[in-house]
Amino acid sequence: MSRSQCFKHFLLCTKGFANTRLQTPDLNHPFPSIHFPKHISETSQQHSFTVSYLINNCGFSPEIALKASNGVRFKTPRKPDSVIDFLKKNGFTNSQINNIIQRIPSVLTCNPHKTLSPKFQFLFSKGVSASDVVQLVNRCPKILLVSVENSVIPSFELVKRFLRSDKKIIDCVLANRHFLDYKIASQNINMLLDDFGVKHSHITYLFRTRPSILLSNDLRRTVEEVKEMGFDPSKISFVVALHAKKGVSKLRWDAKVDAFKSWGWSEEVVLDSFRKHPFCMLGSKDKINEVMRFWVDQLGCDPLALAKMPKIFGYSLEGRIIPRSLVVQYLIVKGLRKKSCSFLTTFAVSEKLFLRDYVMRFEEEKFHLLKLYQGKISFRENKEDDVVSGS
């Protein structure tokens, strides 16, 4: 509906009392009494008053007010005034209140003491600060309307089985507002635990990384698919694979497969790498290409070699892959290590072991090796040094 159409509709709603002049509201009585002609129905009166209220009190445009009025009707300002007053007293700004009303206009007909206050008291009891409550309600205003006993508390208790921190629980529930319809999540969790033997700790992983997966209506189908791929439901790799298959859209999944194939991998190699290390499909397509490009163009190695250790695609290029490559390449140039592309294991070892075995053990070279490793010498500078030294 265009702006002009909306405004015409508003005028039609108020037809019959268009000549009634509204006095300028004072602070104590912002909404003067409106006397509607008898031929106007009570529903039309409610609609007209609601639209007027939203325009005058919330600063809504006529079209936004009309849209919001389709979800709420009231005859007097008593209830909406009490709701707005309650929200203001709890730290909400006018713009925040208006945003909440646009998203859930029916909140204006709530009883603040019976409907709104219990949610705030529950959140406060869990250690959530007043400012955090404002932020959480802005993120998920639906919480103002649902039942504390039948929705908020059961959702909280469900998540509490897996996350111990009250703050993490609240963030999880309100960041994924469908947890307030906790039944789907509860059914999916029971299915994973009872039907497939997924461990409690592995469901905790899903809560921490991608809780929305537990809210999927068709989760069983994806679980069956992952199991058929050869993943063991008792292993962490199972839920990681579930995360990858359910959390990555088909479009993005196919783009990543195509990225691998552009470097000479077959689809079978991609799937085999996914089975070895499902995290490799959680990175971006750009990250895949960056790692491949460095491995092939800078190190001159076979791209298929990376299929032996697909976890490399989860490592930081700048923070791990490049610095360790610089160190190994320098050792090769100095004859302290044989030239080979089979140094994949150097990326997997811990920081402590890498420093011990590839840096500190070479007493005469360790100063230069540390400079390489700490990024004080770039890959290009190191290659230039190689040329000068006759490598």
Side-chain angles (χ1 to χ4, degrees), residues 220-235:
R220 179 179 286 273
R221 179 180 61 79
T222 309
V223 169
E224 295 281 7
E225 180 185 351
V226 169
K227 188 177 179 182
E228 288 175 4
M229 294 177 72
F231 288 94
D232 182 348
S234 68
K235 303 290 180 63

Side-chain angles (χ1 to χ4, degrees), residues 142-190:
K142 180 182 177 180
I143 195 174
L144 297 177
L145 301 180
V146 299
S147 165
V148 172
E149 294 78 13
N150 299 327
S151 185
V152 178
I153 293 177
S155 297
F156 185 92
E157 292 301 323
L158 175 67
V159 180
K160 189 177 181 179
R161 290 168 57 188
F162 304 93
L163 300 178
R164 295 182 180 180
S165 162
D166 281 350
K167 186 179 187 308
K168 289 181 179 178
I169 295 166
I170 292 291
D171 287 346
C172 179
V173 171
L174 295 180
N176 299 270
R177 58 185 178 275
H178 294 297
F179 266 120
L180 296 173
D181 303 319
Y182 75 99
K183 290 182 180 179
I184 293 176
S186 180
Q187 291 169 357
N188 282 334
I189 288 170
N190 290 334

Side-chain angles (χ1 to χ4, degrees), residues 258-275:
D258 289 342
F260 281 118
K261 290 168 73 173
S262 71
W263 291 97
W265 287 26
S266 67
E267 195 155 336
E268 184 179 345
V269 171
V270 175
L271 292 177
D272 185 57
S273 296
F274 177 65
R275 292 187 188 99

